[in-house]
Amino acid sequence: MAQLQKYFSLDQKGTIIAEYIWIDSEGGTRSKSRTLPEKDYKPEDLPMWNFDGSSTGQAPGDNSDVYLKPVAIFPDPIRLGKNILVLAECWDSDGTPNKYNYRHETAKLMEAHAAHEPWFGLEQEYTMLDMNDRPYGWPQNGFPAPQGPYYCGVGAGKVVQRDIVEAHYRACLYAGIKISGTNAEVMPAQWEFQVGPCVGIEMGDQLWMARFLLHRIAEDFGVKVSVHPKPIPGDWNGAGLHSNFSTKEMREEGGMKHIEAAIAKLGTRHKEHIAVYGEDNEKRLTGRHETGAIDQFSYGVANRGASIRIPRECAAKGYGYFEDRRPASNADPYQITGIIMET
């Protein structure tokens, strides 16, 4: 990157670079760049674009054009200047949402229930791997010492790749993402960042852009980022995407009755939620390591071994929010927030 800095300061002659970003068939991000005249853009001002969906698993080869519809714009923390990041939905040529476009239906749900002012916060856990898919800081043969010193750890031998974490944090702030914190997690090379509170569809948009930036920044360091709930076998906590949720009614005096009513509804649709809460989640939701069992629904105050946790502070006040601890780290935030809102 040091070699590139002199080019980043060159005059762009009245143009900007827009990086169009979308979600592929496997829950990863893809992107490509285009030149646009320099001006202030809203999503509806930006041109639609297209890509070869047969190369991303989103369309067959004989009808491969998938269209990119801009839905959110962020300042670009990598190119700086007036350059922008453009989050886009994927649409098919017949004018219908691509089957991997989970945003479209969730946006309709959020609009239909906007009067409840739904707030979300997501806690994204992830693991940093070397090019051989080995977690950074792990011995070449065998495993590190048992978990204990690594969570929120400080110092060599306890945490690794803090430079990527710090770079990502600042990049998110520059881009206007509502990143609210970060910390080292219980397994060496595992970290977490939190985004929120966000209102409605903004939650999914912001988390996807934060994921894109994490992968893009780690790329510059030659580091892989895995959001798999169990990237390596062993007796370690799996990685989650815990979802904090509240409505206006829950945040007001007497809101606990609304929280309890919502939790009761969640219990009736446990299987439906698990179905969209991420792949290989059964490797994580074992009933051990601060998780509930995948086939059982439970809740409790300050209980990290339950499906749903009510923070003790909220229970004491009688209002606030609850945390759904079931989603895996690789789950789609649009699907998580959509089904919570629906239920």
Side-chain angles (χ1 to χ4, degrees):
M1 285 296 292
Q3 298 95 318
L4 289 174
Q5 290 308 310
K6 63 181 180 181
Y7 300 106
F8 279 18
S9 61
L10 293 176
D11 185 0
Q12 294 182 197
K13 305 295 185 183
T15 64
I16 65 166
I17 302 171
E19 190 75 12
Y20 277 55
I21 298 154
W22 70 95
I23 299 110
D24 66 18
S25 62
E26 296 183 349
T29 52
R30 306 275 181 137
S31 75
K32 61 177 185 174
S33 313
R34 70 181 298 167
T35 306
L36 295 172
E38 182 181 325
K39 66 175 186 177
D40 292 329
Y41 288 96
K42 296 179 180 178
E44 57 269 24
D45 301 329
L46 290 165
M48 290 187 68
W49 207 7
N50 63 74
F51 65 93
D52 173 14
S54 68
S55 296
T56 64
Q58 291 169 273
D62 60 356
N63 187 19
S64 62
D65 283 357
V66 177
Y67 292 86
L68 294 170
K69 177 183 177 182
V71 293
I73 299 173
F74 301 82
D76 189 337
I78 296 170
R79 293 189 174 109
L80 304 178
K82 297 283 188 177
N83 302 301
I84 56 176
L85 305 176
V86 179
L87 185 66
E89 283 188 8
C90 294
W91 287 70
D92 292 335
S93 58
D94 61 2
T96 60
N98 185 265
K99 67 177 181 179
Y100 299 104
N101 177 356
Y102 302 122
R103 185 187 188 278
H104 180 67
E105 288 300 321
T106 295
K108 291 197 293 186
L109 275 168
M110 297 303 178
E111 184 176 354
H113 301 293
H116 294 287
E117 298 178 16
W119 288 9
F120 294 90
L122 289 176
E123 303 172 14
Q124 176 71 69
E125 295 178 336
Y126 62 94
T127 307
M128 287 190 265
L129 310 174
D130 63 23
M131 298 308 291
N132 296 314
D133 294 329
R134 187 75 173 166
Y136 266 96
W138 285 40
Q140 288 302 312
N141 299 301
F143 296 89
Q147 61 189 50
Y150 313 113
Y151 173 70
C152 296
V154 178
K158 297 178 181 178
V159 296
V160 295
Q161 303 296 346
R162 192 185 291 273
D163 47 357
I164 294 176
V165 174
E166 292 290 338
H168 175 250
Y169 202 154
R170 284 162 175 75
C172 285
L173 290 172
Y174 179 93
I177 293 168
K178 296 177 180 177
I179 185 168
S180 49
T182 188
N183 59 269
E185 267 299 335
V186 296
M187 187 182 84
Q190 189 182 74
W191 288 81
E192 173 189 303
F193 65 88
Q194 305 91 33
V195 177
C198 295
V199 180
I201 197 65
E202 176 189 44
M203 182 70 259
D205 293 348
Q206 296 228 347
L207 192 86
W208 270 117
M209 190 55 65
R211 280 180 173 177
F212 166 78
L213 286 172
L214 179 60
H215 285 278
R216 177 61 186 82
I217 290 165
E219 171 191 318
D220 287 338
F221 289 81
V223 172
K224 292 183 179 181
V225 173
S226 172
V227 292
H228 191 278
K230 273 282 190 177
I232 194 164
D235 192 27
W236 303 96
N237 283 33
L241 185 60
H242 301 160
S243 177
N244 301 301
F245 175 73
S246 69
T247 61
K248 176 178 64 175
E249 297 86 352
M250 296 176 189
R251 296 188 296 269
E252 295 173 345
E253 197 78 29
M256 189 54 63
K257 66 180 180 182
H258 296 284
I259 291 173
E260 291 172 346
I263 291 173
K265 291 179 181 180
L266 290 171
T268 67
R269 301 189 72 206
H270 180 63
K271 289 184 178 179
E272 291 94 325
H273 280 252
I274 291 297
V276 297
Y277 274 5
E279 294 184 10
D280 293 326
N281 208 8
E282 72 281 355
K283 296 178 181 178
R284 169 180 162 266
L285 294 181
T286 61
R288 301 176 64 244
H289 295 311
E290 299 183 344
T291 67
I294 195 167
D295 58 350
Q296 298 173 12
F297 181 82
S298 59
Y299 71 95
V301 174
N303 185 356
R304 284 179 162 76
S307 307
I308 307 293
R309 178 181 70 93
I310 300 173
R312 187 169 300 283
E313 179 187 5
C314 297
K317 292 190 302 184
Y319 61 90
Y321 69 97
F322 64 81
E323 177 191 47
D324 190 339
R325 298 181 57 80
R326 296 172 294 173
S329 51
N330 59 1
D332 187 299
Y334 295 131
Q335 290 188 293
I336 295 171
T337 57
I339 197 169
I340 289 175
M341 189 75 262
E342 180 183 72
T343 298

